[in-house]
C-alpha cells in the first residue's frame, strides 16, 4: 500500500513525514511528492498545510494540474484523503484570511477568523487543547474523548452541514477541529505533534 504526502511547498512538513514513517515502519510505503502520476497511483493521500489559507491555495495552484489531480483522487475515485491544519481548511468553498480566496470546495463552508472576543483570547490559538469527539469515526478508533491535541491556528473551518463534524475544541467558541465526509477526513490540530493519541489517528488513517 502506498500513502502519499503531498509536498507543494507549503511550509515545513518534516514532522508530518517523520510521524507517518514512524507509524508505518516497513508495512506501508510513504512517499513525499507533488508528482501527479504518483499521487494518482496512491492508495491514500495526506494534504498538509502551514501558513495562511491564501498562501497554501496559491502554492497548490502553482503546481500545474495538482488541484485537478487531488479532486479526481478524492471526489471522483473516492480514495481516502486526510487534510491537516490548513490542509483541512482548504476543503472549504472559501477562506477569508488576507483576502477572499476560493478553496477546493469539497465540503461546503467557509474559513473565518476565530472570534477572540475583543482580545480576551490570544490568536493564534497555540498549544494543547482538549477535543470533544461528537461522532464515531474510524480515524478516532481507540482515541479517548477529551484527549489533548496540539493546535496552531487563527482561523477556523465552519462547515454548512453539521453532520460532517467529528470533533470540536473549546477556544473562545466551539471550534470544529475534525471533519469526515465519506472518504475525506481532516484535522485542524496537528496529529503529528500530538503525542501518542495523534500517532493513533495517523495509524487509524493508514489502516483504513
Amino acid at each position: 500500500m502506498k500513502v502519499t504526502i503531498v509536498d507543494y511547498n507549503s511550509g515545513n512538513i518534516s514532522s508530518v513525514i517523520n510521524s507517518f514513517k514512524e507509524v508505518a515502519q516497513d508495512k506501508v510505503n510513504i512517499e513525499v511528492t507533488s508528482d501527479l502520476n504518483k499521487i494518482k497511483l496512491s492508495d491514500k493521500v495526506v494534504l498538509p498545510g502551514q501558513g495562511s489559507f491564501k498562501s497554501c491555495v496559491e502554492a497548490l495552484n502553482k503546481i500545474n494540474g495538482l488541484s485537478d489531480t487531488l479532486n479526481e483522487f478524492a471526489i471522483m475515485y473516492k480514495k481516502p484523503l486526510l487534510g491537516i491544519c490548513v490542509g483541512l481548511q482548504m476543503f472549504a468553498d472559501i477562506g477569508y484570511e488576507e483576502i477572499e480566496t476560493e478553496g477546493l470546495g469539497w465540503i461546503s463552508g467557509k474559513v473565518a477568523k476565530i472570534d477572540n472576543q475583543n482580545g480576551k483570547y490570544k490568536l493564534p490559538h497555540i498549544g494543547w487543547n482538549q477535543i470533544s469527539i461528537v461522532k464515531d469515526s474510524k480515524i478516532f478508533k481507540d482515541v479517548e474523548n477529551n484527549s489533548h491535541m496540539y493546535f496552531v491556528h487563527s482561523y477556523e473551518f465552519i462547515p454548512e452541514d453539521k453532520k460532517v463534524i467529528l470533533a470540536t475544541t473549546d477556544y473562545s467558541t466551539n471550534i470544529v477541529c475534525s471533519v469526515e465526509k465519506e472518504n475525506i477526513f481532516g484535522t485542524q490540530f496537528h496529529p503529528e505533534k500530538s503525542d501518542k493519541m495523534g500517532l493513533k489517528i495517523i495509524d487509524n488513517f493508514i489502516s483504513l
Side-chain angles (χ1 to χ4, degrees):
M1 186 177 72
K2 195 171 98 172
V3 178
T4 295
I5 298 168
V6 183
D7 183 7
Y8 59 101
N9 308 314
S10 74
N12 181 9
I13 60 168
S14 56
S15 52
V16 174
I17 297 163
N18 293 340
S19 58
F20 268 81
K21 285 188 170 168
E22 184 189 328
V23 171
Q25 287 166 344
D26 300 327
K27 302 177 296 230
V28 178
N29 177 14
I30 304 288
E31 178 134 32
V32 185
T33 186
S34 60
D35 183 298
L36 305 186
N37 283 328
K38 286 179 177 173
I39 293 169
K40 282 175 187 170
L41 294 170
S42 308
D43 298 295
K44 299 185 175 85
V45 158
V46 181
L47 183 63
Q50 274 192 329
S52 73
F53 185 94
K54 176 178 170 280
S55 69
C56 284
V57 168
E58 281 175 354
L60 207 63
N61 289 336
K62 259 188 195 143
I63 297 168
N64 200 14
L66 182 53
S67 291
D68 290 341
T69 298
L70 291 172
N71 213 37
E72 219 170 83
F73 185 92
I75 304 301
M76 228 164 97
Y77 294 115
K78 300 221 174 289
K79 291 190 196 175
L81 182 142
L82 173 68
I84 296 173
C85 196
V86 187
L88 148 73
Q89 293 182 1
M90 289 193 295
F91 296 171
D93 298 314
I94 199 154
Y96 293 101
E97 191 168 0
E98 293 177 59
I99 59 164
E100 197 177 293
T101 308
E102 220 173 283
L104 292 163
W106 293 347
I107 298 179
S108 291
K110 63 180 181 180
V111 174
K113 196 165 193 174
I114 294 168
D115 175 11
N116 69 349
Q117 297 182 22
N118 295 323
K120 194 173 152 196
Y121 288 84
K122 274 187 188 162
L123 289 180
H125 166 215
I126 298 182
W128 294 87
N129 214 352
Q130 278 182 309
I131 68 160
S132 171
I133 299 170
V134 295
K135 203 168 112 177
D136 277 345
S137 169
K138 286 174 182 163
I139 67 160
F140 282 128
K141 183 177 179 268
D142 299 329
V143 174
E144 289 160 25
N145 193 21
N146 301 319
S147 292
H148 285 79
M149 299 292 174
Y150 190 80
F151 289 84
V152 186
H153 65 127
S154 300
Y155 284 74
E156 59 172 323
F157 175 41
I158 304 164
E160 279 175 21
D161 181 3
K162 303 302 175 220
K163 288 195 205 77
V164 302
I165 300 170
L166 285 186
T168 59
T169 192
D170 199 24
Y171 191 78
S172 166
T173 57
N174 218 14
I175 289 170
V176 174
C177 68
S178 185
V179 296
E180 175 182 341
K181 185 183 177 185
E182 296 170 346
N183 53 303
I184 300 168
F185 302 86
T187 63
Q188 178 61 65
F189 54 84
H190 288 269
E192 77 281 6
K193 294 177 181 172
S194 298
D195 209 33
K196 279 183 189 151
M197 285 296 157
L199 291 179
K200 184 65 196 148
I201 290 171
I202 290 171
D203 185 34
N204 287 338
F205 178 72
I206 287 173
S207 308
L208 279 177

